[in-house]
Amino acid sequence: QPLVRVGPLSSSRDFLDVRDICHGLALILESNHQGTYNVGSGVETNVGELLRIFLDSAGLRKNVQIESDAARIDPVPRHVANIGRLADKGFAPQYSLELSCQEMLAYWSRYVYGSA
């Protein structure tokens, strides 16, 4: 059975599709907004959940054994953006994390794995 060794899965991050990042940056630039803006999803996602999404998207969840190294400590266990200022300007992410993962895997399959 395939084995995936990982660090701590309890950490959380703010994951955002690069297309949404570009949209957020374009909104700031086009509107000539001043100040500091956080571009993110505003949603905290557990790294273990992200791994589950990737494995589900690849159809591998039932075929892979996950081994987590509990001894490793993440120095930043939580990281999520406060996107309130940007949301007030009309920003909202358009791409779900699930869709982003599915499209990343499709890209890899077609252009990376397929060309090898």
Side-chain angles (χ1 to χ4, degrees):
Q1 183 173 10
L3 174 67
V4 176
R5 290 188 174 102
V6 296
L9 293 174
S10 59
S11 300
S12 63
R13 298 290 183 265
D14 186 335
F15 298 102
L16 185 64
D17 191 288
V18 68
R19 295 167 290 191
D20 283 323
I21 293 169
C22 292
H23 172 72
L25 294 173
L27 180 64
I28 294 166
L29 292 171
E30 290 169 357
S31 304
N32 198 26
H33 295 304
Q34 301 296 311
T36 302
Y37 290 84
N38 293 319
V39 179
S41 68
V43 176
E44 186 174 2
T45 301
N46 182 281
V47 175
E49 176 66 8
L50 178 66
L51 178 58
R52 184 200 61 77
I53 292 169
F54 266 114
L55 291 174
D56 282 348
S57 296
L60 297 173
R61 188 168 179 201
K62 295 178 182 176
N63 301 330
V64 174
Q65 178 184 347
I66 306 298
E67 184 179 286
S68 181
D69 183 357
R72 287 180 47 191
I73 297 173
D74 187 344
V76 183
R78 294 182 66 219
H79 190 80
V80 63
N82 178 347
I83 64 166
R85 285 192 75 203
L86 192 55
D88 289 345
K89 306 296 182 197
F91 175 77
Q94 301 298 307
Y95 299 92
S96 70
L97 187 55
E98 289 82 3
L99 179 63
S100 295
C101 292
Q102 290 167 1
E103 290 183 352
M104 285 173 56
L105 286 169
Y107 175 88
W108 179 85
S109 177
R110 182 172 182 180
Y111 294 106
V112 178
Y113 181 76
S115 68

